[in-house]
Amino acid sequence: MDGQTFSGETEVQEVDRNVLDAVATGHIRSAARLITRIERDDPAMVPVLQALYRMGGRSKVIGVTGPPGAGKSTLISSLVGHWRRSGLKVAVLAVDPSSPFSGGAVLGDRLRMVDHSGDAGVFIRSMASRGHLGGLSRATGDALTVLDAMPWDIVLIETVGVGQNETDIMRHAAVVVLLQTPMGGDDVQAAKAGINEIGDIFVVNKADHKEADRTVQMLAEMIALGQRLHSERTWRPPVVKTQATKGEGVAELAEHIDRCFAHHADGSDEARQRTRTRTRFRIGEILRDLLDRRMRADDGQWLEDLLDPVIARESDPYALATRMLERAGS
């Protein structure tokens, strides 16, 4: 993705109209091929993504995250079934932080969602977040651009809620559902540090567990505290109890998701700021990727001479970083 790849702020390079039309009409194979090219880090995808981005913005993008074993895939499968019975078309992007060849969460996701495999109104795609594929953020953001240009009513992103993935998902999805399993008080307290910053809706799955009600209560107390500390927030995250394997609580969760979207669509300053934050984050991803590519261009030989003054303390890393940023935009 060199400086000549981008076509400018107002113009997009000419792209095969057949490809764009296929995506716009919901051709699943075309979308799958484009996502494969994204995973392969194909630089020729940039003008395609530019055109698709300008075509998109109609889908409701929902992130679902939580610790391993919380039942995310099972809950998503139940949600998909609920929405399909209402006639909505749903795409699912399951992001696995491990290698796609490990047979881990990727295979599990597909097995748990097999009930929808023959449904033309459902698209399920697993992606790996390995570093050479651009990581969770970059690959997911590009894949979302493809899916968002299609006639999906809902696009779900599932990711394992460990480490950075949780914060990434809140910057890609308009509404984030955070799952928790029933846990003891000490476990909830340990999760408290960032929990109020991530979820728009909290779900305690496995509702038949003896600690489920207690976990719901503790989460509600944490949310109430967060609302007092951040009085500018007008959306109060609900806590929903579900039993995903039986579909219990799924309709209630879907209702809360609809309410959250309606709340964020009210044109308020808070809603506009959320959109601007997601857009700013996406631009930052692309800029970081552009810089990384420039650093790796020609095996990074162009950078070697620039390193010498920094090593000799005649210059500094900040000045060099500024020069690289200027070079990336040239």
Side-chain angles (χ1 to χ4, degrees):
M1 201 180 300
D2 55 29
Q4 297 176 346
T5 304
F6 289 101
S7 54
E9 295 183 357
T10 58
E11 296 181 0
V12 177
Q13 293 179 16
E14 185 175 346
V15 178
D16 186 345
R17 192 72 230 179
N18 291 331
V19 173
L20 301 183
D21 289 343
V23 173
T25 55
H27 192 268
I28 290 179
R29 289 187 178 179
S30 296
R33 284 194 291 266
L34 291 180
I35 293 175
T36 297
R37 289 175 61 187
I38 288 168
E39 290 185 299
R40 292 174 178 170
D41 210 13
D42 182 356
M45 277 296 298
V46 171
V48 179
L49 291 168
Q50 286 181 282
L52 291 176
Y53 178 86
R54 300 179 185 212
M55 293 164 48
R58 293 167 292 178
S59 304
K60 292 181 177 179
V61 181
I62 303 164
V64 180
T65 189
K72 295 180 295 296
S73 296
T74 304
L75 182 63
I76 286 174
S77 182
S78 294
L79 278 169
V80 170
H82 173 83
W83 282 318
R84 288 298 293 139
R85 287 189 291 273
S86 300
L88 301 179
K89 296 181 179 180
V90 186
V92 179
L93 194 62
V95 183
D96 176 25
S98 65
S99 166
F101 306 109
S102 67
V106 173
L107 179 59
D109 293 338
R110 300 230 172 176
L111 287 175
R112 284 187 286 273
M113 298 182 196
V114 71
D115 290 345
H116 308 293
S117 60
D119 187 344
V122 177
F123 174 68
I124 300 171
R125 176 67 181 241
S126 295
M127 295 182 68
S129 59
R130 293 173 297 167
H132 70 273
L133 295 181
L136 170 68
S137 299
R138 181 58 204 275
T140 302
D142 287 346
L144 277 175
T145 296
V146 174
L147 296 177
D148 196 32
M150 300 177 73
W152 302 112
D153 298 294
I154 293 169
V155 176
L156 285 161
I157 317 167
E158 177 197 356
T159 183
V160 175
V162 291
Q164 187 177 348
N165 291 358
E166 286 178 340
T167 56
D168 280 354
I169 203 69
M170 67 184 288
R171 294 184 178 105
H172 283 297
V175 171
V176 175
V177 177
L178 191 147
L179 268 70
Q180 288 290 334
T181 53
M183 58 182 76
D186 291 341
D187 294 325
V188 174
Q189 292 299 323
K192 183 177 179 178
I195 207 167
N196 286 307
E197 308 300 324
I198 297 169
D200 293 296
I201 300 167
F202 293 86
V203 174
V204 176
N205 195 27
K206 304 180 181 179
D208 58 344
H209 192 280
K210 63 180 182 179
E211 292 285 350
D213 290 334
R214 184 184 178 198
T215 304
V216 168
Q217 181 181 353
M218 297 190 74
L219 287 173
E221 291 172 356
M222 290 181 191
I223 291 167
L225 175 61
Q227 292 295 110
R228 289 195 295 271
L229 295 175
H230 301 279
S231 57
E232 74 282 1
R233 296 177 183 172
T234 57
W235 172 258
R236 184 183 181 116
V239 183
V240 183
K241 194 165 62 171
T242 64
Q243 182 72 10
T245 55
K246 298 179 180 179
E248 296 175 2
V250 171
E252 180 185 356
L253 173 58
E255 289 178 8
H256 282 298
I257 292 172
D258 287 340
R259 289 173 190 158
C260 192
F261 272 105
H263 178 84
H264 294 329
D266 64 1
S268 66
D269 291 341
E270 181 185 10
R272 286 194 296 271
Q273 185 57 44
R274 285 174 64 101
T275 301
R276 294 182 71 85
T277 298
R278 288 197 303 274
T279 305
R280 188 162 50 240
F281 178 77
R282 185 75 183 112
I283 294 169
E285 286 181 337
I286 295 169
L287 180 58
R288 287 189 295 272
D289 180 76
L290 178 58
L291 275 171
D292 181 63
R293 289 170 185 269
R294 279 301 181 91
M295 288 183 67
R296 290 186 283 111
D298 302 321
D299 297 323
Q301 290 302 312
W302 67 271
L303 182 59
E304 291 305 309
D305 292 340
L306 299 178
L307 292 178
D308 292 336
V310 177
I311 295 172
R313 304 281 175 169
E314 296 169 0
S315 182
D316 59 83
Y318 307 95
L320 179 53
T322 300
R323 289 183 63 184
M324 291 171 62
L325 183 61
E326 293 171 350
R327 180 181 179 124
S330 63

